[in-house]
Amino acid sequence: MAGTEISYPRYDLKDHVVLVTAAARGLGRACALACAHAGADIALGLRDKASGAALAREIEGLGRRVLPLQMDVEKLDQIDEAVAEAHKHFGRIDVLVNNAGVGPENPAEKVVEADFDYTVRVNLKGTFFVSQAVGRLMIAKRRGRIVNMSSQAGTVALAGEPIYCMTKAGIDHLTRCLAGEWAPHGITVNAVAPTFIETDGTRPALSDPAFRQHVLSSIPLGRVGQPMEVAGAVVFLASPAASLITGTILLVDGGWSAR
């Protein structure tokens, strides 16, 4: 209608507070920096609080406030204490990025109970209880964004990683369940599911020429991803532009799952 003002989508995180778990390196570090670059203040959830000093300085260099937190997601008391400290310091948590995850590689017939329990404890239990702690605060505010770090492994089978794949599929469905439960409170819950990304964690495997060629042959775009390409999807889902998106698993896989 003539004269109607158009409300254009906003892709920034100005005046937002974002909590990123496992923020010290890799995808967590990229997500923290990307959110800060988009205008957010950052709470850094860290398995070892001291490991976040350099990252904190980098975020401050972008002109944003930052709070390093001792937050091992295997320990529920640290989850509760870190979330409470972040809320007290900033006054709110607008966005949660559940990035913590592990993936010990082993064929199914060689998986031992300790590896099984460790992977489930970090990937599923940790993701759930961090979401619960932050979700309670968001419910009280009647708004919030949660972005879970899944993987293409939740959609496609990766040889030698049955427990990792199982937990990522679990994260995908947990994302849908929380999206449905918390939508009436103004909270969106989505997941980002990347393919192989160049990080410290994947570098040893990707340095094997045969394995790297196998990976590249499975990705139609023909290359391994970079951390900021995943962080870009996280920023989008956290931004006002994604206000009508919830319960979605956004694959950032170069077309792997579309083959």
Side-chain angles (χ1 to χ4, degrees), residues 19-23 45-48 69-80 82-83 96-102 118-131:
L19 168 59
V20 182
T21 67
L46 303 159
R47 189 171 186 176
D48 174 10
L69 298 161
Q70 178 60 44
M71 191 182 190
D72 182 344
V73 302
E74 292 186 75
K75 300 175 180 177
L76 268 59
D77 59 337
Q78 288 194 18
I79 290 174
D80 291 340
V83 169
L96 166 63
V97 180
N98 267 318
N99 172 69
V102 296
Y118 173 53
T119 308
V120 172
R121 194 164 59 243
V122 174
N123 294 6
L124 280 178
K125 186 176 180 181
T127 295
F128 177 81
F129 281 104
V130 176
S131 296

Tab-separated table of all heavy atoms in Angstrom, residues 19-23 45-48 69-80 82-83 96-102 118-131:
chain	number	residue	atom	x	y	z
A	19	LEU	N	25.885	-15.871	24.681
A	19	LEU	CA	26.699	-16.848	25.406
A	19	LEU	C	27.092	-17.951	24.431
A	19	LEU	O	26.216	-18.582	23.815
A	19	LEU	CB	25.918	-17.435	26.582
A	19	LEU	CG	26.521	-18.671	27.273
A	19	LEU	CD1	27.905	-18.388	27.835
A	19	LEU	CD2	25.593	-19.193	28.360
A	20	VAL	N	28.394	-18.166	24.288
A	20	VAL	CA	28.916	-19.226	23.414
A	20	VAL	C	29.647	-20.248	24.276
A	20	VAL	O	30.577	-19.891	25.014
A	20	VAL	CB	29.890	-18.660	22.357
A	20	VAL	CG1	30.370	-19.774	21.430
A	20	VAL	CG2	29.233	-17.537	21.550
A	21	THR	N	29.257	-21.518	24.196
A	21	THR	CA	29.961	-22.553	24.942
A	21	THR	C	31.140	-23.084	24.126
A	21	THR	O	31.150	-23.007	22.896
A	21	THR	CB	29.028	-23.717	25.325
A	21	THR	OG1	28.616	-24.416	24.145
A	21	THR	CG2	27.806	-23.209	26.075
A	22	ALA	N	32.132	-23.642	24.831
A	22	ALA	CA	33.356	-24.163	24.188
A	22	ALA	C	33.907	-23.137	23.211
A	22	ALA	O	34.162	-23.417	22.046
A	22	ALA	CB	33.076	-25.497	23.493
A	23	ALA	N	34.113	-21.918	23.721
A	23	ALA	CA	34.433	-20.777	22.865
A	23	ALA	C	35.923	-20.581	22.597
A	23	ALA	O	36.289	-19.697	21.823
A	23	ALA	CB	33.863	-19.497	23.498
A	45	GLY	N	31.837	-19.243	27.382
A	45	GLY	CA	31.823	-20.452	28.189
A	45	GLY	C	33.057	-21.270	27.879
A	45	GLY	O	33.264	-21.688	26.733
A	46	LEU	N	33.888	-21.527	28.878
A	46	LEU	CA	35.194	-22.137	28.656
A	46	LEU	C	35.427	-23.313	29.600
A	46	LEU	O	35.157	-23.194	30.802
A	46	LEU	CB	36.296	-21.100	28.870
A	46	LEU	CG	36.195	-19.841	27.989
A	46	LEU	CD1	36.990	-18.696	28.604
A	46	LEU	CD2	36.671	-20.154	26.577
A	47	ARG	N	35.938	-24.405	29.061
A	47	ARG	CA	36.270	-25.539	29.932
A	47	ARG	C	37.377	-25.155	30.900
A	47	ARG	O	37.424	-25.631	32.035
A	47	ARG	CB	36.685	-26.732	29.073
A	47	ARG	CG	36.832	-28.006	29.867
A	47	ARG	CD	37.020	-29.207	28.979
A	47	ARG	NE	37.014	-30.434	29.746
A	47	ARG	CZ	37.076	-31.646	29.210
A	47	ARG	NH1	37.134	-31.771	27.896
A	47	ARG	NH2	37.077	-32.710	29.980
A	48	ASP	N	38.287	-24.298	30.431
A	48	ASP	CA	39.334	-23.733	31.276
A	48	ASP	C	39.277	-22.221	31.086
A	48	ASP	O	39.625	-21.710	30.023
A	48	ASP	CB	40.702	-24.282	30.862
A	48	ASP	CG	41.854	-23.609	31.606
A	48	ASP	OD1	41.589	-22.862	32.568
A	48	ASP	OD2	43.019	-23.827	31.208
A	69	LEU	N	34.049	-17.205	31.303
A	69	LEU	CA	33.374	-17.967	32.348
A	69	LEU	C	33.962	-19.372	32.446
A	69	LEU	O	34.263	-20.002	31.427
A	69	LEU	CB	31.879	-18.099	32.028
A	69	LEU	CG	31.070	-16.816	31.947
A	69	LEU	CD1	29.771	-17.070	31.190
A	69	LEU	CD2	30.777	-16.286	33.346
A	70	GLN	N	34.113	-19.871	33.669
A	70	GLN	CA	34.484	-21.269	33.868
A	70	GLN	C	33.232	-22.105	33.636
A	70	GLN	O	32.264	-22.016	34.401
A	70	GLN	CB	35.018	-21.488	35.277
A	70	GLN	CG	35.391	-22.938	35.582
A	70	GLN	CD	36.468	-23.475	34.663
A	70	GLN	OE1	37.453	-22.784	34.390
A	70	GLN	NE2	36.285	-24.689	34.184
A	71	MET	N	33.225	-22.912	32.552
A	71	MET	CA	31.982	-23.597	32.178
A	71	MET	C	32.276	-24.904	31.454
A	71	MET	O	32.221	-24.984	30.225
A	71	MET	CB	31.122	-22.687	31.298
A	71	MET	CG	29.707	-23.169	31.072
A	71	MET	SD	28.826	-22.033	29.983
A	71	MET	CE	27.157	-22.648	30.142
A	72	ASP	N	32.591	-25.925	32.213
A	72	ASP	CA	32.715	-27.272	31.671
A	72	ASP	C	31.308	-27.856	31.607
A	72	ASP	O	30.671	-28.057	32.647
A	72	ASP	CB	33.617	-28.110	32.588
A	72	ASP	CG	33.848	-29.519	32.075
A	72	ASP	OD1	33.095	-29.977	31.190
A	72	ASP	OD2	34.780	-30.179	32.567
A	73	VAL	N	30.800	-28.133	30.394
A	73	VAL	CA	29.398	-28.544	30.257
A	73	VAL	C	29.151	-29.957	30.776
A	73	VAL	O	27.994	-30.393	30.839
A	73	VAL	CB	28.905	-28.419	28.800
A	73	VAL	CG1	29.066	-26.994	28.301
A	73	VAL	CG2	29.606	-29.411	27.877
A	74	GLU	N	30.205	-30.667	31.163
A	74	GLU	CA	30.011	-31.968	31.807
A	74	GLU	C	29.605	-31.808	33.271
A	74	GLU	O	29.182	-32.790	33.902
A	74	GLU	CB	31.289	-32.793	31.737
A	74	GLU	CG	31.684	-33.254	30.352
A	74	GLU	CD	32.886	-34.176	30.410
A	74	GLU	OE1	32.707	-35.339	30.812
A	74	GLU	OE2	33.992	-33.720	30.062
A	75	LYS	N	29.742	-30.604	33.809
A	75	LYS	CA	29.506	-30.366	35.227
A	75	LYS	C	28.334	-29.418	35.406
A	75	LYS	O	28.424	-28.232	35.111
A	75	LYS	CB	30.774	-29.804	35.879
A	75	LYS	CG	31.962	-30.757	35.753
A	75	LYS	CD	33.249	-30.160	36.274
A	75	LYS	CE	34.406	-31.149	36.127
A	75	LYS	NZ	35.694	-30.571	36.561
A	76	LEU	N	27.223	-29.947	35.900
A	76	LEU	CA	25.998	-29.156	36.000
A	76	LEU	C	26.158	-27.960	36.924
A	76	LEU	O	25.544	-26.914	36.693
A	76	LEU	CB	24.836	-30.037	36.454
A	76	LEU	CG	24.004	-30.666	35.323
A	76	LEU	CD1	24.867	-31.544	34.417
A	76	LEU	CD2	22.831	-31.468	35.881
A	77	ASP	N	26.983	-28.097	37.978
A	77	ASP	CA	27.164	-26.958	38.875
A	77	ASP	C	27.875	-25.812	38.153
A	77	ASP	O	27.534	-24.634	38.354
A	77	ASP	CB	27.925	-27.366	40.136
A	77	ASP	CG	29.305	-27.954	39.846
A	77	ASP	OD1	29.535	-28.449	38.722
A	77	ASP	OD2	30.164	-27.926	40.752
A	78	GLN	N	28.829	-26.125	37.278
A	78	GLN	CA	29.502	-25.076	36.516
A	78	GLN	C	28.563	-24.442	35.497
A	78	GLN	O	28.634	-23.225	35.239
A	78	GLN	CB	30.745	-25.626	35.809
A	78	GLN	CG	31.894	-25.932	36.750
A	78	GLN	CD	33.214	-26.140	36.021
A	78	GLN	OE1	33.385	-25.751	34.858
A	78	GLN	NE2	34.172	-26.742	36.710
A	79	ILE	N	27.670	-25.223	34.910
A	79	ILE	CA	26.679	-24.661	33.995
A	79	ILE	C	25.825	-23.632	34.726
A	79	ILE	O	25.664	-22.490	34.280
A	79	ILE	CB	25.783	-25.772	33.410
A	79	ILE	CG1	26.577	-26.657	32.444
A	79	ILE	CG2	24.571	-25.158	32.694
A	79	ILE	CD1	25.813	-27.868	31.938
A	80	ASP	N	25.272	-24.028	35.862
A	80	ASP	CA	24.385	-23.129	36.611
A	80	ASP	C	25.116	-21.875	37.076
A	80	ASP	O	24.584	-20.761	36.988
A	80	ASP	CB	23.792	-23.872	37.812
A	80	ASP	CG	22.802	-24.952	37.407
A	80	ASP	OD1	22.280	-24.887	36.268
A	80	ASP	OD2	22.552	-25.871	38.213
A	82	ALA	N	27.898	-20.502	35.804
A	82	ALA	CA	28.300	-19.655	34.678
A	82	ALA	C	27.122	-18.881	34.116
A	82	ALA	O	27.234	-17.684	33.814
A	82	ALA	CB	28.941	-20.508	33.584
A	83	VAL	N	25.984	-19.537	33.969
A	83	VAL	CA	24.794	-18.856	33.440
A	83	VAL	C	24.352	-17.758	34.407
A	83	VAL	O	24.014	-16.640	33.993
A	83	VAL	CB	23.662	-19.871	33.184
A	83	VAL	CG1	22.343	-19.146	32.886
A	83	VAL	CG2	24.033	-20.784	32.007
A	96	LEU	N	21.902	-17.949	22.985
A	96	LEU	CA	22.775	-19.024	23.421
A	96	LEU	C	23.259	-19.778	22.192
A	96	LEU	O	22.449	-20.207	21.358
A	96	LEU	CB	22.027	-19.997	24.345
A	96	LEU	CG	22.713	-21.342	24.610
A	96	LEU	CD1	24.044	-21.154	25.337
A	96	LEU	CD2	21.788	-22.274	25.388
A	97	VAL	N	24.581	-19.941	22.083
A	97	VAL	CA	25.163	-20.783	21.036
A	97	VAL	C	25.754	-22.009	21.721
A	97	VAL	O	26.789	-21.936	22.383
A	97	VAL	CB	26.239	-20.033	20.228
A	97	VAL	CG1	26.812	-20.951	19.144
A	97	VAL	CG2	25.663	-18.766	19.599
A	98	ASN	N	25.081	-23.140	21.579
A	98	ASN	CA	25.512	-24.404	22.189
A	98	ASN	C	26.535	-25.060	21.275
A	98	ASN	O	26.197	-25.877	20.407
A	98	ASN	CB	24.310	-25.340	22.361
A	98	ASN	CG	23.662	-25.221	23.712
A	98	ASN	OD1	24.330	-25.136	24.729
A	98	ASN	ND2	22.340	-25.217	23.726
A	99	ASN	N	27.801	-24.721	21.461
A	99	ASN	CA	28.838	-25.197	20.558
A	99	ASN	C	29.613	-26.409	21.082
A	99	ASN	O	30.220	-27.136	20.297
A	99	ASN	CB	29.828	-24.058	20.267
A	99	ASN	CG	31.036	-24.526	19.500
A	99	ASN	OD1	30.940	-24.884	18.330
A	99	ASN	ND2	32.192	-24.550	20.145
A	100	ALA	N	29.590	-26.660	22.377
A	100	ALA	CA	30.420	-27.733	22.952
A	100	ALA	C	30.070	-29.088	22.345
A	100	ALA	O	28.897	-29.462	22.255
A	100	ALA	CB	30.245	-27.778	24.462
A	101	GLY	N	31.105	-29.816	21.925
A	101	GLY	CA	30.885	-31.139	21.352
A	101	GLY	C	32.189	-31.890	21.186
A	101	GLY	O	33.242	-31.292	21.004
A	102	VAL	N	32.103	-33.212	21.237
A	102	VAL	CA	33.277	-34.066	21.046
A	102	VAL	C	32.890	-35.215	20.120
A	102	VAL	O	31.707	-35.507	19.934
A	102	VAL	CB	33.801	-34.631	22.384
A	102	VAL	CG1	34.295	-33.514	23.285
A	102	VAL	CG2	32.723	-35.455	23.094
A	118	TYR	N	31.236	-40.473	27.474
A	118	TYR	CA	31.838	-39.140	27.321
A	118	TYR	C	31.163	-38.364	26.190
A	118	TYR	O	30.796	-37.186	26.357
A	118	TYR	CB	33.332	-39.301	27.043
A	118	TYR	CG	34.073	-38.028	26.707
A	118	TYR	CD1	34.013	-36.909	27.543
A	118	TYR	CD2	34.859	-37.947	25.561
A	118	TYR	CE1	34.707	-35.742	27.235
A	118	TYR	CE2	35.557	-36.791	25.247
A	118	TYR	CZ	35.476	-35.694	26.087
A	118	TYR	OH	36.165	-34.543	25.776
A	119	THR	N	30.961	-39.017	25.052
A	119	THR	CA	30.350	-38.346	23.898
A	119	THR	C	28.912	-37.945	24.189
A	119	THR	O	28.488	-36.818	23.878
A	119	THR	CB	30.411	-39.255	22.656
A	119	THR	OG1	31.745	-39.709	22.460
A	119	THR	CG2	29.949	-38.511	21.414
A	120	VAL	N	28.155	-38.837	24.792
A	120	VAL	CA	26.760	-38.526	25.137
A	120	VAL	C	26.698	-37.440	26.207
A	120	VAL	O	25.854	-36.535	26.147
A	120	VAL	CB	26.025	-39.801	25.603
A	120	VAL	CG1	24.643	-39.458	26.161
A	120	VAL	CG2	25.894	-40.788	24.450
A	121	ARG	N	27.619	-37.506	27.163
A	121	ARG	CA	27.618	-36.548	28.274
A	121	ARG	C	27.866	-35.116	27.781
A	121	ARG	O	27.207	-34.182	28.212
A	121	ARG	CB	28.681	-36.960	29.286
A	121	ARG	CG	28.585	-36.283	30.636
A	121	ARG	CD	29.406	-37.022	31.674
A	121	ARG	NE	30.815	-37.103	31.319
A	121	ARG	CZ	31.459	-38.252	31.085
A	121	ARG	NH1	30.822	-39.410	31.159
A	121	ARG	NH2	32.748	-38.233	30.777
A	122	VAL	N	28.815	-34.953	26.873
A	122	VAL	CA	29.119	-33.610	26.368
A	122	VAL	C	28.084	-33.170	25.332
A	122	VAL	O	27.487	-32.092	25.437
A	122	VAL	CB	30.530	-33.560	25.749
A	122	VAL	CG1	30.783	-32.201	25.108
A	122	VAL	CG2	31.586	-33.841	26.820
A	123	ASN	N	27.866	-34.007	24.326
A	123	ASN	CA	27.062	-33.581	23.181
A	123	ASN	C	25.576	-33.460	23.497
A	123	ASN	O	24.928	-32.486	23.072
A	123	ASN	CB	27.252	-34.556	22.017
A	123	ASN	CG	28.669	-34.544	21.463
A	123	ASN	OD1	29.549	-33.892	22.002
A	123	ASN	ND2	28.890	-35.276	20.394
A	124	LEU	N	25.034	-34.424	24.200
A	124	LEU	CA	23.590	-34.404	24.465
A	124	LEU	C	23.248	-33.838	25.841
A	124	LEU	O	22.467	-32.892	25.950
A	124	LEU	CB	23.018	-35.816	24.335
A	124	LEU	CG	22.755	-36.306	22.914
A	124	LEU	CD1	22.244	-37.750	22.940
A	124	LEU	CD2	21.737	-35.409	22.208
A	125	LYS	N	23.849	-34.419	26.877
A	125	LYS	CA	23.527	-33.954	28.234
A	125	LYS	C	23.937	-32.501	28.420
A	125	LYS	O	23.173	-31.691	28.949
A	125	LYS	CB	24.214	-34.840	29.269
A	125	LYS	CG	23.833	-34.525	30.713
A	125	LYS	CD	24.497	-35.515	31.675
A	125	LYS	CE	24.121	-35.203	33.119
A	125	LYS	NZ	24.776	-36.156	34.066
A	126	GLY	N	25.137	-32.151	27.961
A	126	GLY	CA	25.600	-30.774	28.091
A	126	GLY	C	24.708	-29.802	27.348
A	126	GLY	O	24.308	-28.759	27.879
A	127	THR	N	24.379	-30.136	26.091
A	127	THR	CA	23.514	-29.258	25.294
A	127	THR	C	22.159	-29.068	25.964
A	127	THR	O	21.634	-27.949	26.030
A	127	THR	CB	23.330	-29.840	23.883
A	127	THR	OG1	24.593	-29.834	23.203
A	127	THR	CG2	22.328	-29.022	23.072
A	128	PHE	N	21.590	-30.160	26.488
A	128	PHE	CA	20.274	-30.040	27.119
A	128	PHE	C	20.313	-29.153	28.355
A	128	PHE	O	19.491	-28.235	28.504
A	128	PHE	CB	19.712	-31.409	27.498
A	128	PHE	CG	18.395	-31.288	28.224
A	128	PHE	CD1	17.216	-31.105	27.523
A	128	PHE	CD2	18.348	-31.299	29.613
A	128	PHE	CE1	16.004	-30.937	28.192
A	128	PHE	CE2	17.146	-31.134	30.288
A	128	PHE	CZ	15.972	-30.959	29.572
A	129	PHE	N	21.267	-29.397	29.249
A	129	PHE	CA	21.236	-28.675	30.523
A	129	PHE	C	21.690	-27.218	30.400
A	129	PHE	O	21.234	-26.375	31.169
A	129	PHE	CB	22.013	-29.437	31.591
A	129	PHE	CG	21.214	-30.574	32.166
A	129	PHE	CD1	21.479	-31.881	31.798
A	129	PHE	CD2	20.170	-30.331	33.038
A	129	PHE	CE1	20.727	-32.928	32.310
A	129	PHE	CE2	19.401	-31.361	33.556
A	129	PHE	CZ	19.685	-32.672	33.186
A	130	VAL	N	22.552	-26.911	29.423
A	130	VAL	CA	22.841	-25.491	29.171
A	130	VAL	C	21.585	-24.817	28.610
A	130	VAL	O	21.216	-23.713	29.023
A	130	VAL	CB	24.024	-25.324	28.203
A	130	VAL	CG1	24.225	-23.847	27.885
A	130	VAL	CG2	25.303	-25.891	28.802
A	131	SER	N	20.903	-25.501	27.692
A	131	SER	CA	19.654	-24.946	27.139
A	131	SER	C	18.624	-24.733	28.239
A	131	SER	O	17.919	-23.714	28.259
A	131	SER	CB	19.080	-25.891	26.073
A	131	SER	OG	19.940	-26.012	24.972
